Amino acid sequence: MIYFDNAATTQIHQEVKEEMLKAMDLYGNPASTHIYGRKSRVFIEDRRRKIADLLGVKSSTIFFTSCGTESIQTALTGAVRDIGVDTIITSALEHHAVIYNISTLQKQYNIKVEYVKFNNKGKIDTDHLSELLDNKGKKMVVLMHANNETGMLLQLKKVANLCKEKQSLFLTDTVQTMGKYRFNSIKGIDFATASAHKFHGPKGVGFIYISPDISIQPLIVGGGQERKMRSGTENIIGISGMTKALEIAIDKIDENQEHIENLREKFLSGLIDLSSELKILTDIDHSLYTILNVGFPKKNRGSMLQQRLDIAGIAASGGSACTSGSESRSHVLEALEVDSNYNFIRFSFGCFNTFNEVDIALDIIDDLI
Ligand code: PLP
């Protein structure tokens, strides 16, 4: 089996598993004032500080959540309900966690939603964004740092500067880039999101960065954990695993990037050698190095390719949901108006992938197409 679906989720790092096993012994409730509770509290605050240090921000700006979706919903709801944002500027290429949360808020609060233009590879048109930012209203820009289907990167600094200059809030969904990109300090960003399972940590734990200038109310209320920002007894085991995973990711960021870039390059040139008819959707020079989205012509046995790859032992993502044998395209592929005669497959690589796997996958694809 070859796993080329690292944008969907990743294998947990062995050291992360060991760290989580150790954390299982810390069973005191962090809210308890006795020694058991205090030990758990110190442990969590130490992990918060480690994550904050890795991002170059203050500990008080990091709040633990259950996943990327919860982090996104916390930011969106807080911005509209508590800060009075009445206009959201976003794109049709965002993750469903953004799109569906925005449409819920639109119904609840009657906010205006404006969509920024992009090119045929998904590159956000910053001139259009700038125009939209000139409109009246209390605005928030919501744009993902890297697209999970195409890998396209946002011009993060440029957009952050525009938002600052035009007095808009800025939420960027960093679920795909956390651990793969050096944020150093998150200047100009009001909200950023993370999900541990995307960087070789466990599922069911994430965090949100909230700028110190921002004040919002919680999404989940109750016992007042996370300085009243997110109630519910903390997921100590998850937080321990996520912190370890982020430490490893940042520690090895350069070597992992080089390795994965080389894997993607070898795979891409191998594919191009196999067929001159492929459409490379990913903009190689402006994308997150882990993602490669390629269109295979359906006429040359390219249809149902993802399922056939699966049977042959390669896990990749189709970018489409297959219902009762008929393929319906993802909203991202639809929005990019990609050629419907092509079947687009997302291959996404991680640090555990090898060059040998690339060779084997190319042989299999050669047979399949
Ligand atoms: N945002 C992006 C870009 C993603 O890729 C994902 C996961 O696929 C999410 C948000 C949602 O993260 P989670 O599944 O942890 O809620």
Side-chain angles (χ1 to χ4, degrees):
M1 286 297 300
I2 295 174
Y3 188 74
F4 283 171
D5 202 14
N6 288 275
T9 196
T10 55
Q11 185 186 338
I12 299 191
H13 210 289
Q14 185 57 32
E15 280 181 58
V16 170
K17 286 186 208 165
E18 285 160 17
E19 189 76 4
M20 288 168 73
L21 260 180
K22 277 193 263 164
M24 280 182 189
D25 289 332
L26 266 181
Y27 61 89
N29 187 325
S32 301
T33 51
H34 49 61
I35 183 70
Y36 290 85
R38 291 201 305 275
K39 272 191 181 169
S40 296
R41 161 74 36 229
V42 167
F43 183 89
I44 289 175
E45 293 315 318
D46 177 67
R47 269 52 189 179
R48 194 189 313 281
R49 188 185 43 72
K50 279 186 177 151
I51 289 183
D53 286 351
L54 290 169
L55 301 183
V57 297
K58 289 195 175 129
S59 289
S60 56
T61 59
I62 301 295
F63 299 89
F64 296 122
T65 64
S66 66
C67 60
T69 305
E70 186 193 323
S71 302
I72 290 165
Q73 194 173 340
T74 301
L76 286 173
T77 306
V80 173
R81 184 192 56 195
D82 308 322
I83 305 181
V85 162
D86 58 24
T87 308
I88 288 184
I89 304 171
T90 187
S91 87
L93 306 173
E94 301 306 298
H95 190 273
H96 277 153
V98 165
I99 291 183
Y100 292 146
N101 273 308
I102 290 179
S103 58
T104 303
L105 289 168
Q106 202 175 5
K107 284 182 209 128
Q108 278 179 330
Y109 296 91
N110 200 23
I111 53 166
K112 192 163 155 196
V113 182
E114 305 211 83
Y115 292 91
V116 67
K117 293 181 196 159
F118 43 81
N119 74 5
N120 65 350
K121 297 268 185 192
K123 184 169 188 232
I124 295 294
D125 181 341
T126 48
D127 292 335
H128 184 226
L129 177 64
S130 176
E131 279 170 36
L132 291 175
L133 280 166
D134 285 335
N135 293 340
K136 282 207 181 84
K138 176 101 183 129
K139 290 156 290 207
M140 174 152 88
V141 168
V142 183
L143 291 171
M144 66 210 306
H145 186 199
N147 187 281
N148 51 303
E149 292 198 35
T150 64
M152 176 58 80
L153 279 168
L154 184 70
Q155 293 170 281
L156 197 62
K157 279 200 186 115
K158 192 169 180 180
V159 172
N161 287 339
L162 263 178
C163 290
K164 251 210 149 53
E165 185 193 319
K166 308 222 175 191
Q167 292 172 354
S168 168
L169 294 179
F170 180 30
L171 155 61
T172 185
D173 175 1
T174 46
V175 164
Q176 286 293 339
T177 46
M178 195 59 69
K180 299 178 196 112
Y181 180 92
R182 264 187 228 285
F183 286 93
N184 294 325
S185 81
I186 311 189
K187 269 217 167 68
I189 296 172
D190 296 296
F191 303 99
T193 55
S195 188
H197 72 98
K198 304 286 187 185
F199 49 87
H200 304 285
K203 292 169 183 57
V205 62
F207 67 86
I208 179 171
Y209 160 81
I210 305 180
S211 149
D213 307 331
I214 297 289
S215 169
I216 57 170
Q217 296 301 309
L219 190 67
I220 300 175
V221 289
Q225 286 89 347
E226 293 294 288
R227 287 160 286 132
K228 296 201 167 62
M229 259 311 292
R230 201 281 186 183
S231 285
T233 301
E234 295 89 337
N235 175 1
I236 301 181
I237 300 161
I239 290 167
S240 79
M242 172 164 69
T243 310
K244 190 73 191 168
L246 194 60
E247 280 181 310
I248 297 171
I250 301 290
D251 184 44
K252 296 197 180 322
I253 198 162
D254 294 328
E255 69 185 87
N256 282 346
Q257 174 163 356
E258 195 186 341
H259 175 64
I260 298 167
E261 258 169 11
N262 289 338
L263 287 175
R264 182 173 78 158
E265 201 178 297
K266 183 178 163 79
F267 188 64
L268 175 60
S269 65
L271 285 178
I272 291 169
D273 287 347
L274 291 185
S275 166
S276 57
E277 289 189 282
L278 306 181
K279 279 192 196 287
I280 312 302
L281 181 59
T282 297
D283 182 337
I284 298 298
D285 295 332
H286 301 105
S287 55
L288 181 63
Y289 48 91
T290 52
I291 294 178
L292 179 65
N293 198 315
V294 181
F296 294 83
K298 287 183 181 168
K299 66 174 166 63
N300 292 343
R301 305 175 66 216
S303 67
M304 305 297 282
L305 184 60
Q306 189 239 325
Q307 292 82 348
R308 287 162 55 230
L309 284 169
D310 180 27
I311 292 164
I314 303 173
S317 170
S320 63
C322 185
T323 325
S324 324
S326 68
E327 287 179 20
S328 68
R329 274 178 194 246
S330 83
H331 66 285
V332 174
L333 297 181
E334 284 293 331
L336 291 173
E337 296 178 3
V338 297
D339 189 338
S340 60
N341 295 313
Y342 282 73
N343 189 7
F344 285 85
I345 307 281
R346 178 191 68 186
F347 299 94
S348 49
F349 307 95
C351 59
F352 295 125
N353 288 128
T354 64
F355 289 101
N356 190 34
E357 286 178 324
V358 167
D359 288 332
I360 297 169
L362 287 169
D363 278 348
I364 291 174
I365 293 169
D366 192 15
D367 282 347
L368 291 181
I369 61 171

